[in-house]
Amino acid sequence: MRIAIDAMGGDNAPECNVEGALAAAAEWSDIEIVLVGDEARLGPLLKTKPSNVTVRHAGDVIGSDEEPVKAVRRKKDSSMVVAGRMVREGEADAMISSGNTGALMTTGLLVVGRMEGIERPALAPMIPTLDDVGVLALDLGANMDAKPQHLAQYALIGSIYRNKVHGIAKPRVGLLNVGAEPGKGNELTKEAYPLLEALQGIHFVGNVEARDVLTGSCDVLVCDGFAGNILLKTLEGTAGAMFSLLKEQFSKSLKTKLGAAILMPELRSLKGKMDYKEHGGAPLLGLSGLVVKGHGSSDGNAVKNAVRQARIALKADLVPSISKEISGK
Amino acid sequence: MRIAIDAMGGDNAPECNVEGALAAAAEWSDIEIVLVGDEARLGPLLKTKPSNVTVRHAGDVIGSDEEPVKAVRRKKDSSMVVAGRMVREGEADAMISSGNTGALMTTGLLVVGRMEGIERPALAPMIPTLDDVGVLALDLGANMDAKPQHLAQYALIGSIYRNKVHGIAKPRVGLLNVGAEPGKGNELTKEAYPLLEALQGIHFVGNVEARDVLTGSCDVLVCDGFAGNILLKTLEGTAGAMFSLLKEQFSKSLKTKLGAAILMPELRSLKGKMDYKEHGGAPLLGLSGLVVKGHGSSDGNAVKNAVRQARIALKADLVPSISKEISGK
């Protein structure tokens, strides 16, 4: 298995990517990692280079603020686009990037290519849940104006992912909606509901309200990219705001500081639970190859986790399984 | 000023409504409160009845699980519909209900009636923010499939509300979206953006991401009812989940229990900040009369706060001001 890492992508690049690559290569001897990026910058970071880590030079970088489609079209020698080309041409089995999210989705569509039979690929991160199991939510930003049949495809490919990568025999699929009853929602969810109900091969558990997502009421959460983005960013924003408030409250006096010191391990553990970095990368599902998006603020550990995820998906034949289910090929 | 309270609406009805009414009547002598509901049940709760509290008998009740439109059409003698009729016929200046939300929105539309020039009324609760100021978000559930021009009307009526009721001279209006840049979003927000930019009489500050809502980056947040519901319920769900986790972590051992005991006042204060009951009711804006929705789990204090809000809105001529701005009448 060969995994290409966009070494120049992410806020902490290239250091985090090199660190994660080295840790992953040391842990799993059945993978080869190709760090794609500027040789001159990567060389000095690779003082010890294990035999299953190589560098592929790419002279250009797509910045985090660049307009995605323009950047991908123009910067053919950027680390992200080169990694995508490696996947398309079979030189790598998967690619991982923590760079510009829009550009990565564009690279997925234009460079790696859509899977036959899939209208819209979906970005599918894990959202942490209280029971520590997590829910795979899709789409979270690849497709802003989804149609009911897109949501049905998300249900199918999300179920295959949870089954193949996480070993869940019969993943429960929920539709993100404003009420539990079947008739609730906007035009999109009202039309998608009967499609999901009729879909063979998935275990549809009905509508799921946003406030019940964290209690783990489903394994796959289906939504359009706009609603999904609102859900995920509200979750991040609320968790962040509450930690700020806790910090502020707990540093009010000597007494509260003492209380907070006693509870420090528990507060850290809570923060870990609400932390996206620990939940690895988000696959872009529905492409003809495996693409995993890391969080922009990924550190070495997050990059290593993304490699772990890609390795499991490759070992489980994720992409061919989805393709077989979607187009019968 | 006469304010009708749907005495039978809400999980804690009728007790919470009577308690809130009595507290409000005692505090503000310039209001008259009419408790609308079953005399036989209200009588015993009104051992001391101040001169500015009366009862209007209504023999029926709309349950929290009833189908809204059917219930409002059939139950003409329900406490909610009778209160709505009082507003329409000028017998009351405002109504407050903590009952079935869908039924209240239907009562607003079918009984109280839309304001001329308004296509879709909006439900507009305050979302708590870190700076304790809060943001008025609309629409949060009245209209699931909004059009760009509806969002522009929300911007206008939300601005008037913040100005009249909260005294903000130039309320900042934000558009809930998936990115800060003007070109971001789904079809709805992309089309609404230029309308909001061109709208006279509002102070548009651009797109607001869901994670920035809690930091108080705007005074009025405009969104369609579906996205707004996802935002609010994710916020509630995340805050609730974090308090559960804190509780679980903090009761792990004697040591953590001690730490938690020391921090109890700070934890309570945090919970208060994230608590909807303390933020009063949500007005239904765009109707020809004032309708305020209380939280289903309202207690007496929440009902009193809803009365406070209605009183301020009436004193500030809210509904006539909106009407003047919308239709020039």
Side-chain angles (χ1 to χ4, degrees), chain A residues 130 270, chain B residues 238-250 271:
Chain A
L130 289 188
L270 180 67
Chain B
T238 310
M242 285 184 66
F243 282 118
S244 306
L245 282 172
L246 279 174
K247 215 172 156 183
E248 192 189 302
Q249 296 275 356
F250 289 178
K271 204 157 185 179

Side-chain angles (χ1 to χ4, degrees), chain B residues 35-55:
Chain B
L35 283 162
V36 185
D38 184 355
E39 267 182 337
R41 290 194 62 193
L42 296 174
L45 298 172
L46 285 162
K47 274 161 207 152
T48 57
K49 194 157 65 106
S51 62
N52 56 345
V53 174
T54 52
V55 171

Side-chain angles (χ1 to χ4, degrees), chain A residues 10-11 97-99 236 276-277 280-282 293-299 302, chain B residues 211:
Chain A
D11 303 340
S97 174
S98 306
E236 286 181 343
Y276 291 80
K277 281 200 286 299
K293 182 191 110 60
H295 210 278
S297 59
S298 288
D299 55 16
Chain B
R211 73 171 144 234

